[in-house]
Amino acid sequence: MKRLLILLAVLALTGLMAAAATAGTTLTYANFPPAKTFPCVQMERWKTEVEKRTNGAVSVQTFPGSTLLEGKNMYRGVMMGQADIGCISIAYYPGVFPLMSAVNLPVSFTSTEVASLAMWDLFQKYRPEEFKNVKVLTMFTCAPSHIQSKVAIRSLADLSGVELRGSGSLVTFINDLGGRGVGMPMSDTPEALQKGVVKGLVSSFDVLKDMNFAEICRYETITNLPVYPFAVIMNKAKWASLPDDVKKVLDDLGREQAQWTGAYLDDYVDQALAWSKEKYQVEVFRLSDADMAEIASKGQPMIDAWKKDVAAKGIDGDAVFSDMIGFKKKYEAELGK
Ligand code: DTR
């Protein structure tokens, strides 16, 4: 009797395993900000496309809102296989991705679609060492960053001593402009705002709506500060285990997904600002020409500092930078953005 039971159990298990094998592969995909935000919107679009294009051979299980991995442990978590796929904000990892941090420099990107395509091309051209531990599935950026604050910043003088949350080059920028930059991931920002640790943040306007920051940050100052670069990365062993036809589907989607995300966000930031004006009557300030010139004057030293920093890591910053500007101009002309 006991033997029979064991036999039955073994048979049942084998049956289950066979069913799992025919059902195909499930990939887990972790993301740090809440489900409504654009990195998660693009994640759901990618899931839909992958499931469709592999005819269901691959299914993707998504984990938004730091439910599987958080902003700062995303990279390690994907390398270790805690998630198969993860979305990282490059600015949250200072010094780890020196070459691709070029995209976070003040070069006046005005369109997310342009910035995302330029980023993708830059990555394809250099295939930088810094990503050798993972497979890169796509890349994109957020839109240009602006100040969103509880206190009115009508001029740079008003910024003096004001704590604002940022990341990457934006922290340096806030400090250079007289404010106090506080570095933290987007997902920690609501609490920091609530507790008064910061009086605002510097980010693209999508979060006014998606994180409901418009409710607490009633003042928006147009600053056209840099975009933040993102990468969607996959565990290398998991990638290697995929059949070639699936790999092809994922590879073919890389550039398309970058463009889709950029185009989505370009539209969305305008909608988010309009929504914030209507729902919370937020005020939007434009800085004087003199203040905008002051912001522009901080840009070159940051670019020079980046070039010096990457040179120490064996990267030809001049070449990378001029390629990025070349891609930017090419897409600005092509897309009329
Ligand atoms: N501004 C960057 C990137 C960013 C823009 N929108 C979102 C939404 C969710 C997470 C990150 C971002 C930042 O502040 O991290």
Side-chain angles (χ1 to χ4, degrees):
M1 185 62 188
K2 201 170 167 193
R3 278 208 190 143
L4 189 66
L5 277 179
I6 292 174
L7 187 68
L8 281 175
V10 169
L11 280 176
L13 203 66
T14 329
L16 272 180
M17 280 163 66
T22 48
T25 313
T26 298
L27 299 175
T28 55
Y29 188 154
N31 220 327
F32 61 95
K36 271 201 246 168
T37 60
F38 91 94
C40 293
V41 171
Q42 74 75 36
M43 169 170 79
E44 294 303 327
R45 187 266 174 182
W46 190 86
K47 167 190 161 80
T48 307
E49 290 304 317
V50 167
E51 291 177 351
K52 196 162 72 193
R53 294 177 195 195
T54 60
N55 297 314
V58 173
S59 54
V60 182
Q61 196 181 359
T62 56
F63 294 87
S66 297
T67 44
L68 183 55
L69 292 170
E70 296 175 4
K72 283 190 174 167
N73 68 6
M74 187 68 66
Y75 176 46
R76 195 181 144 76
V78 170
M79 270 195 305
M80 306 293 283
Q82 287 168 278
D84 298 324
I85 301 171
C87 174
I88 54 170
S89 168
I90 286 178
Y92 299 177
Y93 296 87
V96 179
F97 304 106
L99 194 149
M100 293 312 294
S101 294
V103 182
N104 192 219
L105 289 171
V107 294
S108 310
F109 277 115
T110 52
S111 149
T112 321
E113 189 176 354
V114 168
S116 300
L117 285 170
M119 183 182 183
W120 183 249
D121 284 3
L122 199 66
F123 177 74
Q124 293 304 328
K125 172 148 189 185
Y126 286 92
R127 295 258 154 201
E129 269 277 298
E130 63 207 39
F131 278 99
K132 70 174 188 302
N133 296 325
V134 287
K135 161 74 186 172
V136 171
L137 294 174
T138 190
M139 289 185 158
F140 51 82
T141 72
C142 72
S145 303
H146 309 289
I147 298 174
Q148 306 165 33
S149 49
K150 297 188 199 179
V151 291
I153 312 282
R154 293 184 170 84
S155 67
L156 286 184
D158 292 340
L159 187 61
S160 178
V162 175
E163 300 87 355
L164 295 177
R165 172 270 164 194
S167 261
S169 73
L170 276 304
V171 176
T172 317
F173 238 121
I174 298 163
N175 291 332
D176 284 357
L177 294 173
R180 303 242 317 268
V182 184
M184 72 181 79
M186 179 59 77
S187 21
D188 295 349
T189 310
E191 196 180 324
L193 277 169
Q194 289 294 344
K195 289 194 172 151
V197 175
V198 292
K199 295 202 175 63
L201 69 149
V202 185
S203 177
S204 46
F205 280 150
D206 46 297
V207 289
L208 283 175
K209 183 169 183 199
D210 295 340
M211 304 285 293
N212 204 31
F213 289 148
E215 185 177 17
I216 188 157
C217 298
R218 297 288 170 103
Y219 303 104
E220 329 306 337
T221 308
I222 305 283
T223 43
N224 287 323
L225 288 171
V227 300
Y228 286 65
F230 289 74
V232 178
I233 53 171
M234 184 170 185
N235 177 276
K236 265 195 137 174
K238 190 74 189 186
W239 169 257
S241 76
L242 295 175
D244 285 348
D245 55 341
V246 170
K247 281 185 179 155
K248 183 168 177 354
V249 169
L250 304 195
D251 272 339
D252 287 351
L253 200 51
R255 181 181 186 279
E256 182 192 318
Q257 182 72 15
Q259 183 161 21
W260 184 92
T261 308
Y264 164 82
L265 199 59
D266 277 337
D267 278 350
Y268 193 80
V269 282
D270 295 339
Q271 289 175 34
L273 187 58
W275 176 89
S276 309
K277 284 182 188 162
E278 180 158 338
K279 178 144 177 137
Y280 294 111
Q281 291 76 50
V282 301
E283 273 188 77
V284 180
F285 304 123
R286 290 188 182 274
L287 295 172
S288 66
D289 289 350
D291 277 353
M292 285 310 272
E294 168 79 3
I295 293 182
S297 77
K298 307 288 181 201
Q300 195 54 45
M302 285 181 66
I303 295 167
D304 294 341
W306 171 82
K307 285 185 181 171
K308 206 167 143 210
D309 178 56
V310 296
K313 295 173 175 158
I315 296 168
D316 181 350
D318 281 323
V320 172
F321 187 80
S322 76
D323 277 326
M324 177 171 71
I325 299 299
F327 293 136
K328 174 176 181 282
K329 287 193 177 137
K330 173 184 150 195
Y331 288 118
E332 281 172 350
E334 243 175 73
L335 301 168
K337 278 185 162 181

